[in-house]
Amino acid sequence: MKQLIFICLIGLFTISCNQNKKAEQTTNQSTEKFAPSGDVVEVIYFHGTQRCPTCQAIEAGTKSLIESSFADAINSKKLIFKIVDISKPENKAIADRYEVAWSSLFVNDWKKDQESVNNLTEFAFTNARNNPDAFKRGLSEKINEFLAN
């Protein structure tokens, strides 16, 4: 019985993520070069064509935080923010690299051409829609942690 309920919940989640089609403007990033040059923090939000309200909240909250709190880091090239549509063929390689199949959020720390990958997807889905302040606070703390190193 528990397995049946679990399977139904997974099905509902999948369906809900596919219900909301939204016209959007995204930054399409070339996937030919994965590694940024120099020491940098990289925030990558991956999404598909159709997204649920939580998926949309992850992008909106991440974008809002970075634009309001990290503009100097973006301008000085210490922080890179990418929005990647995984449904586009040109983004298949980067989606494969991070093993992404749906909306996901990564904050990666690049030091001396070595990448420390931090998958914040579970944290984002838990907080972005229902507790946006906690989401922005946690994301900000992770970005600041890497910028300080």
Side-chain angles (χ1 to χ4, degrees):
M1 183 66 176
K2 288 181 182 179
Q3 290 177 333
L4 180 60
I5 292 171
F6 179 73
I7 291 170
C8 288
L9 287 174
I10 295 296
L12 286 173
F13 176 75
T14 303
I15 290 168
S16 70
C17 280
N18 290 327
Q19 290 300 315
N20 258 345
K21 283 189 176 182
K22 180 181 176 188
E24 63 189 56
Q25 295 177 332
T26 60
T27 305
N28 292 314
Q29 300 295 323
S30 171
T31 59
E32 296 173 10
K33 180 182 174 190
F34 292 116
S37 58
D39 294 352
V40 67
V41 177
E42 180 181 48
V43 178
I44 311 172
Y45 171 66
F46 294 95
H47 68 86
T49 303
Q50 298 175 337
R51 297 183 282 166
C52 66
T54 302
C55 299
Q56 294 169 2
I58 293 169
E59 179 181 348
T62 303
K63 189 174 183 178
S64 170
L65 172 73
I66 288 175
E67 288 175 351
S68 66
S69 299
F70 294 100
D72 290 342
I74 291 283
N75 291 335
S76 66
K77 311 258 190 258
K78 293 179 182 177
L79 178 65
I80 298 170
F81 177 48
K82 297 178 183 177
I83 300 172
V84 179
D85 182 345
I86 61 172
S87 67
K88 296 189 178 219
E90 63 266 23
N91 294 327
K92 182 182 183 329
I94 193 168
D96 289 348
R97 173 183 169 89
Y98 290 100
E99 300 177 355
V100 170
W102 55 73
S103 292
S104 300
L105 180 64
F106 286 79
V107 178
N108 303 324
D109 189 24
W110 287 88
K111 299 286 187 238
K112 298 179 182 171
D113 296 326
Q114 296 296 313
E115 180 183 31
S116 172
V117 176
N118 292 271
N119 186 343
L120 297 183
T121 303
E122 185 176 337
F123 168 79
F125 269 93
T126 301
N127 293 292
R129 186 167 176 216
N130 296 323
N131 196 350
D133 290 337
F135 171 68
K136 287 182 179 181
R137 186 172 47 254
L139 181 56
S140 180
E141 288 171 1
K142 183 56 80 174
I143 293 169
N144 279 321
E145 173 189 331
F146 291 150
L147 287 173
N149 291 335

Tab-separated table of all heavy atoms in Angstrom, residues 61 65 120 123-124 126-142:
chain	number	residue	atom	x	y	z
A	61	GLY	N	13.506	33.198	-7.794
A	61	GLY	CA	14.211	33.508	-6.552
A	61	GLY	C	15.708	33.601	-6.748
A	61	GLY	O	16.369	34.490	-6.192
A	65	LEU	N	17.773	37.114	-6.329
A	65	LEU	CA	18.860	37.186	-5.352
A	65	LEU	C	20.162	37.637	-6.013
A	65	LEU	O	20.843	38.532	-5.519
A	65	LEU	CB	19.072	35.834	-4.670
A	65	LEU	CG	20.302	35.772	-3.769
A	65	LEU	CD1	20.072	36.569	-2.498
A	65	LEU	CD2	20.667	34.337	-3.457
A	120	LEU	N	22.059	21.817	-5.271
A	120	LEU	CA	21.118	22.385	-4.314
A	120	LEU	C	19.666	22.156	-4.731
A	120	LEU	O	18.756	22.831	-4.234
A	120	LEU	CB	21.372	23.884	-4.143
A	120	LEU	CG	22.719	24.287	-3.567
A	120	LEU	CD1	22.796	25.802	-3.392
A	120	LEU	CD2	22.979	23.595	-2.247
A	123	PHE	N	17.209	21.199	-1.817
A	123	PHE	CA	17.027	22.398	-0.995
A	123	PHE	C	16.118	23.396	-1.708
A	123	PHE	O	15.206	23.981	-1.103
A	123	PHE	CB	18.393	23.034	-0.693
A	123	PHE	CG	18.299	24.410	-0.110
A	123	PHE	CD1	17.993	24.596	1.231
A	123	PHE	CD2	18.507	25.525	-0.908
A	123	PHE	CE1	17.895	25.879	1.763
A	123	PHE	CE2	18.403	26.803	-0.380
A	123	PHE	CZ	18.099	26.979	0.957
A	124	ALA	N	16.331	23.592	-3.004
A	124	ALA	CA	15.541	24.551	-3.774
A	124	ALA	C	14.077	24.133	-3.845
A	124	ALA	O	13.178	24.958	-3.642
A	124	ALA	CB	16.127	24.702	-5.179
A	126	THR	N	12.481	22.272	-1.797
A	126	THR	CA	11.894	22.332	-0.457
A	126	THR	C	11.500	23.751	-0.076
A	126	THR	O	10.489	23.953	0.597
A	126	THR	CB	12.890	21.768	0.584
A	126	THR	OG1	13.207	20.422	0.235
A	126	THR	CG2	12.324	21.812	1.985
A	127	ASN	N	12.272	24.747	-0.502
A	127	ASN	CA	12.103	26.100	0.024
A	127	ASN	C	11.663	27.187	-0.950
A	127	ASN	O	11.075	28.177	-0.513
A	127	ASN	CB	13.421	26.553	0.666
A	127	ASN	CG	13.737	25.746	1.887
A	127	ASN	OD1	13.052	25.831	2.893
A	127	ASN	ND2	14.787	24.936	1.800
A	128	ALA	N	11.970	27.080	-2.220
A	128	ALA	CA	11.789	28.216	-3.143
A	128	ALA	C	10.362	28.747	-3.182
A	128	ALA	O	10.156	29.966	-3.217
A	128	ALA	CB	12.238	27.841	-4.547
A	129	ARG	N	9.403	27.878	-3.140
A	129	ARG	CA	8.008	28.325	-3.251
A	129	ARG	C	7.363	28.547	-1.883
A	129	ARG	O	6.658	29.536	-1.680
A	129	ARG	CB	7.204	27.296	-4.042
A	129	ARG	CG	5.797	27.754	-4.311
A	129	ARG	CD	5.140	26.884	-5.356
A	129	ARG	NE	3.763	27.288	-5.533
A	129	ARG	CZ	2.774	26.465	-5.775
A	129	ARG	NH1	3.025	25.166	-5.884
A	129	ARG	NH2	1.560	26.894	-5.921
A	130	ASN	N	7.604	27.641	-0.947
A	130	ASN	CA	6.915	27.710	0.343
A	130	ASN	C	7.642	28.521	1.401
A	130	ASN	O	7.040	28.939	2.382
A	130	ASN	CB	6.651	26.292	0.869
A	130	ASN	CG	5.711	25.526	-0.042
A	130	ASN	OD1	4.783	26.098	-0.591
A	130	ASN	ND2	5.965	24.250	-0.211
A	131	ASN	N	8.939	28.708	1.214
A	131	ASN	CA	9.728	29.479	2.178
A	131	ASN	C	10.817	30.248	1.423
A	131	ASN	O	12.006	29.957	1.570
A	131	ASN	CB	10.327	28.536	3.222
A	131	ASN	CG	10.829	29.258	4.439
A	131	ASN	OD1	10.910	30.485	4.460
A	131	ASN	ND2	11.196	28.502	5.452
A	132	PRO	N	10.411	31.225	0.609
A	132	PRO	CA	11.374	31.912	-0.262
A	132	PRO	C	12.479	32.645	0.495
A	132	PRO	O	13.596	32.745	-0.015
A	132	PRO	CB	10.521	32.872	-1.078
A	132	PRO	CG	9.218	32.969	-0.379
A	132	PRO	CD	9.046	31.713	0.415
A	133	ASP	N	12.192	33.127	1.695
A	133	ASP	CA	13.242	33.806	2.462
A	133	ASP	C	14.334	32.828	2.863
A	133	ASP	O	15.518	33.130	2.765
A	133	ASP	CB	12.660	34.498	3.700
A	133	ASP	CG	11.795	35.699	3.337
A	133	ASP	OD1	11.982	36.264	2.241
A	133	ASP	OD2	10.925	36.057	4.153
A	134	ALA	N	13.945	31.637	3.308
A	134	ALA	CA	14.930	30.606	3.658
A	134	ALA	C	15.706	30.164	2.417
A	134	ALA	O	16.912	29.922	2.486
A	134	ALA	CB	14.250	29.409	4.312
A	135	PHE	N	15.012	30.081	1.282
A	135	PHE	CA	15.673	29.714	0.029
A	135	PHE	C	16.758	30.731	-0.322
A	135	PHE	O	17.915	30.376	-0.564
A	135	PHE	CB	14.651	29.610	-1.103
A	135	PHE	CG	15.275	29.451	-2.464
A	135	PHE	CD1	15.947	28.291	-2.807
A	135	PHE	CD2	15.215	30.476	-3.392
A	135	PHE	CE1	16.531	28.146	-4.062
A	135	PHE	CE2	15.795	30.346	-4.638
A	135	PHE	CZ	16.459	29.178	-4.976
A	136	LYS	N	16.385	32.005	-0.330
A	136	LYS	CA	17.355	33.045	-0.690
A	136	LYS	C	18.495	33.123	0.326
A	136	LYS	O	19.649	33.302	-0.046
A	136	LYS	CB	16.659	34.394	-0.829
A	136	LYS	CG	15.811	34.495	-2.085
A	136	LYS	CD	15.186	35.864	-2.216
A	136	LYS	CE	14.372	35.972	-3.482
A	136	LYS	NZ	13.781	37.314	-3.646
A	137	ARG	N	18.179	32.960	1.587
A	137	ARG	CA	19.206	33.002	2.631
A	137	ARG	C	20.206	31.848	2.453
A	137	ARG	O	21.413	32.050	2.474
A	137	ARG	CB	18.551	32.956	4.014
A	137	ARG	CG	19.485	33.138	5.171
A	137	ARG	CD	18.771	33.291	6.519
A	137	ARG	NE	17.717	32.299	6.744
A	137	ARG	CZ	16.398	32.549	6.691
A	137	ARG	NH1	15.960	33.763	6.428
A	137	ARG	NH2	15.529	31.582	6.903
A	138	GLY	N	19.696	30.637	2.258
A	138	GLY	CA	20.575	29.481	2.081
A	138	GLY	C	21.413	29.573	0.822
A	138	GLY	O	22.610	29.249	0.828
A	139	LEU	N	20.814	30.019	-0.265
A	139	LEU	CA	21.543	30.187	-1.525
A	139	LEU	C	22.606	31.267	-1.380
A	139	LEU	O	23.756	31.087	-1.807
A	139	LEU	CB	20.568	30.520	-2.654
A	139	LEU	CG	21.147	30.703	-4.048
A	139	LEU	CD1	21.942	29.480	-4.500
A	139	LEU	CD2	20.031	31.027	-5.041
A	140	SER	N	22.247	32.359	-0.750
A	140	SER	CA	23.193	33.448	-0.515
A	140	SER	C	24.374	32.982	0.338
A	140	SER	O	25.530	33.306	0.045
A	140	SER	CB	22.479	34.614	0.164
A	140	SER	OG	23.363	35.665	0.406
A	141	GLU	N	24.101	32.215	1.376
A	141	GLU	CA	25.167	31.700	2.239
A	141	GLU	C	26.139	30.820	1.457
A	141	GLU	O	27.359	30.918	1.631
A	141	GLU	CB	24.574	30.925	3.417
A	141	GLU	CG	23.915	31.806	4.450
A	141	GLU	CD	23.134	31.035	5.509
A	141	GLU	OE1	23.103	29.781	5.474
A	141	GLU	OE2	22.520	31.705	6.379
A	142	LYS	N	25.617	29.964	0.587
A	142	LYS	CA	26.478	29.081	-0.212
A	142	LYS	C	27.329	29.898	-1.176
A	142	LYS	O	28.530	29.668	-1.311
A	142	LYS	CB	25.629	28.052	-0.963
A	142	LYS	CG	26.436	27.046	-1.755
A	142	LYS	CD	27.448	26.287	-0.931
A	142	LYS	CE	26.836	25.170	-0.154
A	142	LYS	NZ	27.849	24.336	0.541
